[in-house]
Amino acid sequence: MSEVVCTYHRDTAVLTLSNEAKLNAFTTAMLRSLEAHLIEIEHRPDIRAVIVTGAGPKAFCCGADIAEWGGLGPAEFARHWIRDGHRIFDMLARLSKPTIGAINGHAFGGGLELAACCDVRVISDHATLGLPEGKVGIVPGWSGTQRLVRLLSEPVVKEMAIFGRRITAERARMLGFASDVTDDALTTAKDMAASLSALSPRANELTKAMIHGAVGEDRGAAIEVLGSAAAAASADRDEGVQAFLEKRAASFDGS
């Protein structure tokens, strides 16, 4: 059965794309399970980091399972398959906790778009990256022409999406898309996650929101998160809530 399996390594959630027989190609069931895990993880203060990886040694994720979307009509394909995938991938990109993509094998199409949603990526030395959608008559649909361009640059994305070329793990590192090339991406990712124990979770969350505001990743929400956090920490907020509960006029002192 294809699914996304969530396991825990100390205070790190490890999300594993589990559809190894089809090189971890995304199915509707996998999108739904990824969404459910992300909702749960977002509300768990004990989770300090999230790792996303694929089952088996060959592939991180080779994209979307053609058997799942190949028979959909244009409207259903656009409204549900593409829009739902976008929404769920955005949840990963905007998760408040640090995320690491452990690219254990080839990442094509939707798999590369998923990796782009992580804060940092480590990649196995045998892995390659590509956007092969043109070979089956479609275009990148889960932000391959949008978010990925910010990370890999316009010419590189065109090279993959228009000319069908793949890039190697080492080139991905040289381009800044991957922070490390390794023979064991998951172990490297777990080591990175462990380093967060020495850092402030709140500081990391706010820093991530600030960086997202700078690069345009959900900028409106990032600004409001920062403003709301500052307001919630004020004495004025405590006075306002208390006054409301006591049905009296608030007396704010600006502290």
Side-chain angles (χ1 to χ4, degrees):
M1 182 178 69
S2 64
E3 60 182 334
V4 176
V5 178
C6 184
T7 56
Y8 297 95
H9 179 75
R10 301 189 181 93
D11 53 5
T12 298
V14 180
L15 298 175
T16 303
L17 309 179
S18 182
N19 188 13
E20 191 174 353
K22 291 193 174 183
L23 300 179
N24 301 320
F26 259 106
T27 63
T28 301
M30 291 170 71
L31 286 172
R32 294 287 173 261
S33 59
L34 176 61
E35 179 179 31
H37 290 314
L38 292 174
I39 291 171
E40 179 182 356
I41 288 167
E42 184 62 81
H43 291 88
R44 285 191 55 173
D46 58 313
I47 300 302
R48 300 285 295 273
V50 179
I51 294 172
V52 182
T53 193
K58 293 183 178 180
F60 172 72
C61 174
C62 71
D65 187 348
I66 295 177
E68 290 278 311
W69 60 262
L72 300 178
E76 189 177 4
F77 179 70
R79 289 176 187 161
H80 301 297
W81 182 258
I82 297 300
R83 186 173 292 176
D84 286 354
H86 242 288
R87 175 177 52 78
I88 295 165
F89 278 30
D90 284 350
M91 288 177 64
L92 173 62
R94 298 164 187 176
L95 203 67
S96 66
K97 303 171 191 299
T99 58
I100 306 168
I103 307 174
N104 55 298
H106 303 307
F108 303 145
L112 180 54
E113 291 166 318
L114 181 72
C117 294
C118 296
D119 295 322
V120 296
R121 289 152 291 278
V122 294
I123 183 169
S124 291
D125 49 19
H126 67 279
T128 60
L129 312 178
L131 292 170
E133 286 87 348
K135 292 182 179 180
V136 290
I138 61 170
V139 298
W142 289 340
S143 206
T145 63
Q146 306 299 311
R147 180 181 291 117
L148 198 58
V149 172
R150 298 200 300 266
L151 299 171
L152 273 171
S153 84
E154 175 192 344
V156 175
V157 173
K158 284 179 175 177
E159 182 180 338
M160 291 190 292
I162 297 175
F163 293 92
R165 299 187 67 181
R166 299 182 186 181
I167 65 174
T168 64
E170 182 57 27
R171 187 177 177 203
R173 185 192 66 78
M174 293 177 65
L175 290 167
F177 184 72
S179 59
D180 199 4
V181 175
T182 173
D183 61 357
D184 188 340
L186 182 56
T187 296
T188 301
K190 287 179 177 178
D191 289 343
M192 290 183 70
S195 70
L196 293 172
S197 64
L199 303 172
S200 161
R202 177 60 65 184
N204 279 341
E205 180 181 353
L206 294 174
T207 299
K208 180 171 177 175
M210 292 164 66
I211 293 171
H212 278 189
V215 301
E217 179 68 69
D218 199 23
R219 178 173 289 157
I223 292 170
E224 292 183 352
V225 163
L226 294 170
S228 297
S234 70
D236 276 1
R237 180 259 199 176
D238 294 339
E239 166 61 12
V241 171
Q242 195 61 35
F244 175 84
L245 295 174
E246 294 174 359
K247 296 181 171 54
R248 59 174 175 80
S251 177
F252 297 120
D253 62 10
S255 62

